[in-house]
Amino acid sequence: RRYIQEHQVGTLEGVPVVEPVPGEPVYLEAMAFQFRPVLKLKRGETYTLYVSSSDRQHGLSIQPQNLNFQVLPGYVYVIRLTPEETGEFSMICNEYCGAGHHLMTGRIIVTE
């Protein structure tokens, strides 16, 4: 929560949007039934994402890179990501996680 407070630049559909500093850790939480926060990244910069689940097993699929991960409670997954295209990209849960699974999406916004 402190990470969000320190890096928040707005909200998108009620979800905080953060703009992390390239080179600093980026934290992403999977929870029923959302990924939090929305990430606003710069094209060509490398980010290290620390991904965790606060409740149950989730999947994390980051498009268009076609990166796929299982995210389990009690573990932190480290993903290095260098966005090469600008635009809005989806993160989806690709592991059934309950009744709201079909609604579980997140976003990455990539700017120049």
Side-chain angles (χ1 to χ4, degrees):
R1 298 188 193 272
R2 188 176 88 196
Y3 174 77
I4 291 174
Q5 291 173 343
E6 292 174 358
H7 296 86
Q8 187 169 352
V9 294
T11 60
L12 183 61
E13 299 174 4
V15 179
V17 177
V18 299
E19 189 168 359
V21 176
E24 291 186 4
V26 179
Y27 297 97
L28 180 67
E29 182 180 12
M31 66 184 81
F33 296 100
Q34 65 179 306
F35 293 101
R36 185 178 177 93
V38 172
L39 304 176
K40 186 174 180 184
L41 309 178
K42 293 188 187 318
R43 185 179 67 82
E45 297 287 348
T46 299
Y47 297 88
T48 303
L49 280 61
Y50 293 84
V51 184
S52 61
S53 169
S54 60
D55 54 12
R56 61 187 74 163
Q57 180 175 344
H58 294 283
L60 172 61
S61 176
I62 301 175
Q63 301 302 323
Q65 286 84 5
N66 198 31
L67 300 172
N68 294 288
F69 303 91
Q70 292 295 309
V71 183
L72 301 170
Y75 294 89
V76 176
Y77 300 86
V78 180
I79 302 167
R80 290 183 52 86
L81 178 66
T82 305
E84 297 297 335
E85 303 176 40
T86 60
E88 281 196 29
F89 303 97
S90 296
M91 294 182 286
I92 61 167
C93 180
N94 56 10
E95 180 71 33
Y96 182 75
C97 58
H101 167 72
H102 64 288
L103 302 172
M104 188 167 174
T105 62
R107 291 194 194 152
I108 297 176
I109 301 167
V110 180
T111 62
E112 282 295 333

